[in-house]
Amino acid sequence: FDTSCTLRALLRENQEMGADRQSAFIETLSHPAYICSALTKLETPAALRAKMRGGSLSKSNHERVLLKWELFADKRVLFRPIDDDVIASARHLVYHSTIQGRLRSLDCIQFATFLALQRSPSNAILFTADHSLCSLAIEHSVPFFNPLSNTP
């Protein structure tokens, strides 16, 4: 999961766009494991805070969802570290990716973390609604799921 999909898992009752489609897809997987970059530990609370400051999440709902995130992260999520190999891979993406549009350094770290997971025997699927991450997945021919897309 990248942060965009983590938010969809947490804010399903707020009808975050694509949340139901994401939940339905997860239900088709047998024994899914939730694996995220360690970066998600910081990005998710920051994104929730931005939603509160922007008015789409009340202060009381912010506190409730933040607690839900902490419990979910502690019990269900395996966080992959951001090590020197991930940074080197992210740097390679910055220098060599041919995707169109904005390519942010944090997106490169998220994707490089997924690529590190792919190097071990894995049937991992990148869950992302971020256009740049979807473009990187296509560029690198790795499986991904975009809850905002109608194509499988």
Side-chain angles (χ1 to χ4, degrees):
F1 273 24
D2 78 338
T3 305
S4 67
C5 287
T6 301
L7 292 176
R8 281 169 178 77
L10 296 171
L11 299 173
R12 184 170 181 204
E13 66 273 10
N14 290 15
Q15 293 305 305
E16 190 78 9
M17 189 183 296
D20 288 338
R21 188 170 185 287
Q22 175 177 299
S23 180
F25 184 77
I26 289 171
E27 289 176 15
T28 69
L29 305 174
S30 70
H31 308 294
Y34 299 96
I35 303 171
C36 297
S37 168
L39 181 61
T40 310
K41 288 181 183 182
L42 174 62
E43 282 190 324
T44 299
L48 290 171
R49 184 171 189 267
K51 286 188 172 292
M52 180 185 68
R53 294 183 73 191
S56 64
L57 195 62
S58 69
K59 184 169 175 47
S60 62
N61 274 342
H62 173 262
E63 291 171 4
R64 182 184 59 77
V65 175
L66 193 58
L67 178 60
K68 185 178 177 181
W69 161 246
E70 295 297 335
L71 292 171
F72 181 72
D74 285 346
K75 304 252 187 239
R76 304 279 314 269
V77 180
L78 172 63
F79 291 98
R80 302 273 310 194
I82 302 169
D83 57 19
D84 289 342
D85 289 339
V86 167
I87 296 298
S89 179
R91 187 169 180 243
H92 181 83
L93 292 168
V94 168
Y95 281 110
H96 301 287
S97 175
T98 60
I99 71 165
Q100 299 297 309
R102 185 175 169 191
L103 184 59
R104 298 173 302 178
S105 57
L106 295 180
D107 289 339
C108 290
I109 291 171
Q110 286 277 16
F111 193 74
T113 304
F114 179 76
L115 289 177
L117 176 63
Q118 284 280 287
R119 283 193 282 277
S120 60
S122 170
N123 60 350
I125 300 167
L126 175 65
F127 276 70
T128 183
D130 182 276
H131 179 72
S132 294
L133 289 172
C134 290
S135 297
L136 285 169
I138 291 167
E139 181 179 67
H140 291 266
S141 301
V142 298
F144 72 99
F145 175 78
N146 177 353
L148 302 181
S149 173
N150 290 327
T151 58

